């Protein structure tokens, strides 16, 4: 029954809400573990553990890329504690192509890398630093450019399935179109895998003669690298791939196949050299580098504002190949690598001008593969993710709960502003602006309950180049002459 006479308090709750920071430092690893306990680590299932959890790590067994990756991450975090990790185990096979297929998995069945998408709901943790150690460098050759030297004549017009004969390999598919009796276009719908290019067969167009059309082989992107940006977009995550390590030319060619995405961190082209029972062996480098981000985030209370560049890597006895680098010599190979967005590890050298450090192994990498220059730096992309996730968590409270009034809009703006002020005060962002522009909010949209707010912020760029202009200072000689005259008192009167 409603109060008829008296005083009643109602708490309408249209106030700024507390803004909770997003966890950007959970690592996601997809790989193999040959002797894992399948009850604890079932195939194609996201499983959470901390790197300090000896029981779960033991349950992974003693061999596989997951085992090696956790060891590398732990070595890097010796002074900062454990890392939170989500692992997805796929079936091992001696054939790398089979493992890559297992990693790529199926979106429909949520197998392979797609199992990472289940982690937020099933585990309460969202992996946002992703690696697939050991299985991102492999590429294959597939069909590339088609060259029409002679289009032929007298063919039956239409679009027909393209056939492939001879050659070494399989998997290609396509169609060709004949207009006016001649081949006018060839469309490859699948490029397959080939070591020797096949011959194109146009016999599906009856009576076509005189055609001379060939196809060349070209490098096909690694399937893990090609598909991982989709996972990253859904998780607001970043992916660190490893390329071929045998020579730079091969690595550059591999780099050219990667998607141009701000979700891909400074690709690597080196392996880690680590000591195992007194022997030096090579292992994937990505776990050591990805752990730097966890360490850097820990130093800023989880805010992902810092880059991973110029940080020492622990647990390494070397890297291969060695990449020469100097801060003062632009002709070094390392400078060229950084210029095309590779990440590198260089050895410090005592007494060498321009060396990356006096000793140890130091990582340098700042870039993503974004085609847009404003999203070039990894820390800028991660900070923008952090702010946007934070805003979603704060603003979802208002949706459906309050009517669209000026008081509600002000509460929303105040909520957004509260944490941005803190980020600016801590210099995690340089500045920001929030606003409600009437022209962007039509009566029709307002009537539907839609509002359009403006938000802009500027994340600090990485300091990666300092120019010192060195000049003589003639005025100092005048000062010297005056000082000498005063001190020796030899003026002639």
């Amino acid at each position: 029954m409603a109060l008829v006479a008296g005083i009643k308090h109602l708490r309408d709750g249209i106030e700024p809400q507390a803004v909770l920071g997003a966890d950007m430092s959970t690592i996601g690893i997809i790989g193999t573990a040959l002797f894992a306990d399948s009850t604890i680590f079932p195939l194609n299932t996201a499983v959470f553990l901390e790197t300090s959890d000896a029981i779960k790590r033991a349950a992974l067994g003693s061999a596989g890329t997951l085992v090696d990756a956790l060891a590398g991450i732990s070595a890097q975090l010796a002074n900062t504690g454990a890392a939170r990790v989500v692992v997805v185990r796929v079936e091992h096979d001696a054939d790398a192509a089979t493992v890559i297929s297992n990693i790529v998995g199926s979106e429909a069945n949520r197998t392979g890398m797609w199992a990472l998408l289940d982690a937020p709901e099933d585990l309460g943790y969202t992996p946002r630093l992703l690696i697939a150690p050991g299985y991102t460098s492999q590429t294959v050759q597939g069909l590339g450019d088609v060259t029409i030297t002679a289009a032929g004549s007298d063919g039956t017009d239409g679009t027909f399935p393209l056939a492939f004969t001879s050659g070494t390999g399989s998997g290609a598919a396509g169609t060709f179109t004949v207009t006016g009796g001649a081949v006018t276009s060839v469309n490859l719908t699948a490029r397959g895998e080939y070591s020797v290019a096949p011959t194109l067969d146009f016999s599906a167009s009856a009576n076509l003669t005189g055609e001379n059309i060939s196809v060349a082989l070209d490098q096909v992107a690694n399937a893990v690298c090609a598909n991982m940006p989709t996972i990253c977009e859904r998780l607001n995550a970043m992916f660190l791939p490893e390329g071929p390590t045998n020579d730079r030319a091969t690595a550059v060619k591999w780099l050219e196949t990667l998607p141009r995405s701000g979700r891909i961190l400074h690709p690597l082209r080196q392996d880690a050299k680590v000591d195992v029972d007194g022997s030096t062996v090579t292992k994937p480098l990505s776990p050591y580098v990805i752990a730097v981000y966890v360490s850097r985030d820990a130093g800023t209370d989880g805010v992902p504002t810092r880059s991973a560049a110029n940080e020492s890597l622990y647990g390494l006895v070397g890297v291969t190949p060695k990449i020469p680098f100097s801060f003062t010599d632009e002709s070094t190979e390392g400078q060229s690598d950084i210029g095309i967005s590779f990440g590198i590890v260089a050895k410090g050298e005592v007494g060498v001008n321009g060396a990356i450090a006096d000793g140890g192994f130091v990582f340098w990498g700042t870039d993503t593969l974004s085609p847009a220059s404003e999203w070039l730096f990894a820390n800028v992309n991660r900070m923008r993710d952090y702010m946007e996730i934070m805003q979603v968590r704060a603003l979802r409270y208002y949706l459906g709960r309050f009517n669209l009034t000026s008081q509600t809009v002000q509460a929303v703006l105040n909520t957004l502003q509260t944490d941005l002020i803190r980020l600016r005060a801590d210099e995690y962002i340089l500045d920001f602006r929030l606003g409600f522009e009437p022209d962007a909010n039509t009566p029709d949209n307002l009537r539907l309950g839609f509002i359009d707010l403006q938000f802009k912020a500027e994340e600090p760029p990485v300091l990666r180049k300092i120019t010192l202009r060195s000049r003589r200072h003639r005025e100092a000689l005048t000062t010297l002459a005056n000082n000498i005259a005063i001190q020796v008192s030899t003026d002639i009167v």
Side-chain angles (χ1 to χ4, degrees):
M1 180 177 178
L3 184 68
V4 176
I7 299 171
K8 185 174 183 178
H9 290 96
L10 291 176
R11 300 182 181 182
D12 60 21
I14 308 181
E15 296 291 338
Q17 297 301 301
V19 181
L20 302 177
D23 172 21
M24 306 300 294
S25 308
T26 296
I27 297 173
I29 315 172
I30 182 165
T32 63
L34 282 65
F35 310 114
D37 183 336
S38 60
T39 61
I40 298 176
F41 292 97
L43 291 171
N44 300 301
T45 303
V47 179
F48 175 78
L49 76 157
E50 294 186 344
T51 52
S52 59
D53 189 334
I55 296 176
K56 275 194 172 180
R57 287 184 62 176
L60 276 171
S62 58
T65 57
L66 294 177
V67 176
D68 293 338
L70 291 172
I73 292 167
S74 292
Q76 186 61 32
L77 298 176
N79 297 322
T80 55
R84 294 181 296 273
V85 181
V86 171
V87 301
V88 173
R89 184 173 72 91
V90 299
E91 189 168 0
H92 173 72
D93 194 279
D95 178 41
T98 300
V99 179
I100 289 172
S101 178
N102 293 339
I103 290 174
V104 172
S106 164
E107 180 180 8
N109 298 326
R110 267 311 205 259
T111 58
M113 64 174 66
W114 302 96
L116 290 168
L117 298 178
D118 294 330
E121 182 176 349
D122 292 350
L123 306 176
Y125 293 94
T126 302
R128 293 201 169 100
L129 294 167
L130 309 184
I131 54 174
Y135 293 105
T136 59
S137 64
Q138 299 87 348
T139 57
V140 296
Q141 285 187 311
L143 302 190
D145 293 336
V146 174
T147 300
I148 301 178
T149 303
S153 61
D154 300 326
T156 301
D157 288 354
T159 297
F160 307 93
L162 184 63
F164 304 86
T165 61
S166 65
T168 303
S170 63
T175 61
F176 67 97
T177 298
V178 175
T179 304
V183 177
T184 54
S185 66
V186 177
N187 177 36
L188 295 176
T189 56
R191 299 186 179 273
E193 295 183 16
Y194 291 85
S195 57
V196 177
T199 299
L200 303 184
D201 183 346
F202 298 90
S203 58
S205 174
N207 302 319
L208 178 67
T209 61
E211 76 278 6
N212 183 2
I213 304 173
S214 60
V215 63
L217 294 183
D218 197 5
Q219 184 165 297
V220 177
N222 177 280
V224 177
C225 295
N227 288 281
M228 194 64 83
T230 301
I231 306 293
C232 291
E233 287 292 343
R234 298 186 187 182
L235 293 174
N236 290 105
M238 310 295 283
F239 171 54
L240 176 58
E242 304 155 337
T245 62
N246 51 333
D247 65 77
R248 188 175 189 273
T250 303
V252 170
K253 192 172 183 180
W254 166 84
L255 180 69
E256 292 170 349
T257 69
L258 297 181
R260 298 297 99 178
S261 169
R263 296 290 174 191
I264 297 181
L265 297 171
H266 38 68
L268 307 172
R269 66 176 190 91
Q270 294 168 286
D271 284 323
K273 297 173 74 173
V274 300
D275 181 85
V276 177
D277 298 328
S279 298
T280 299
V281 297
T282 59
K283 299 289 184 181
L285 183 60
S286 62
Y288 295 86
V289 175
I290 207 71
V292 175
Y293 283 95
V294 178
S295 177
R296 295 291 275 162
D297 291 355
T300 52
D301 293 327
V303 181
T305 185
R306 308 295 187 199
S307 83
N310 210 7
E311 288 290 309
S312 294
L313 298 184
Y314 306 121
L316 303 181
V317 299
V319 290
T320 182
K322 295 179 180 178
I323 298 178
F325 176 78
S326 170
F327 278 127
T328 58
D329 185 355
E330 63 187 27
S331 68
T332 57
E333 190 173 297
Q335 288 281 352
S336 298
D337 279 1
I338 293 169
I340 56 175
S341 297
F342 272 121
I344 66 168
V345 176
K347 184 170 70 71
E349 299 175 283
V350 176
V352 176
N353 293 337
I356 198 166
D358 289 334
F361 296 91
V362 177
F363 173 73
W364 187 276
T366 60
D367 296 1
T368 69
L369 295 189
S370 172
S373 60
E374 64 264 37
W375 303 113
L376 173 65
F377 290 140
N379 68 306
V380 170
N381 283 271
R382 296 185 72 224
M383 269 302 297
R384 185 56 56 122
D385 281 343
Y386 177 83
M387 288 188 288
E388 290 177 352
I389 294 168
M390 179 181 67
Q391 290 168 353
V392 169
R393 289 181 173 181
L395 298 185
R396 63 191 177 190
Y397 168 80
Y398 295 98
L399 295 175
R401 188 178 301 227
F402 300 105
N403 292 332
L404 203 169
T405 66
S406 59
Q407 184 180 4
T408 301
V409 173
Q410 188 62 59
V412 168
L413 291 172
N414 290 345
T415 294
L416 293 173
Q417 181 171 277
T418 299
D419 209 61
L420 290 170
I421 290 174
R422 178 183 66 83
L423 294 177
R424 181 176 61 188
D426 291 336
E427 297 186 340
Y428 297 155
I429 60 174
L430 299 178
D431 204 357
F432 70 91
R433 292 291 184 272
L434 290 169
F436 176 93
E437 294 183 4
D439 291 345
N441 290 274
T442 65
D444 289 340
N445 280 341
L446 292 175
R447 178 171 284 169
L448 293 173
F450 301 163
I451 57 171
D452 188 320
L453 304 178
Q454 282 67 52
F455 160 65
K456 59 182 180 179
E458 188 66 23
E459 298 85 353
V462 179
L463 175 61
R464 65 176 186 178
K465 179 180 177 180
I466 299 173
T467 300
L468 295 176
R469 301 190 182 276
S470 178
R471 302 172 183 170
R472 300 296 296 271
H473 184 44
R474 190 175 188 279
E475 292 80 357
L477 298 176
T478 301
T479 301
L480 174 63
N482 291 336
N483 289 340
I484 292 173
I486 293 171
Q487 291 175 18
V488 303
S489 301
T490 57
D491 289 348
I492 299 174
V493 179

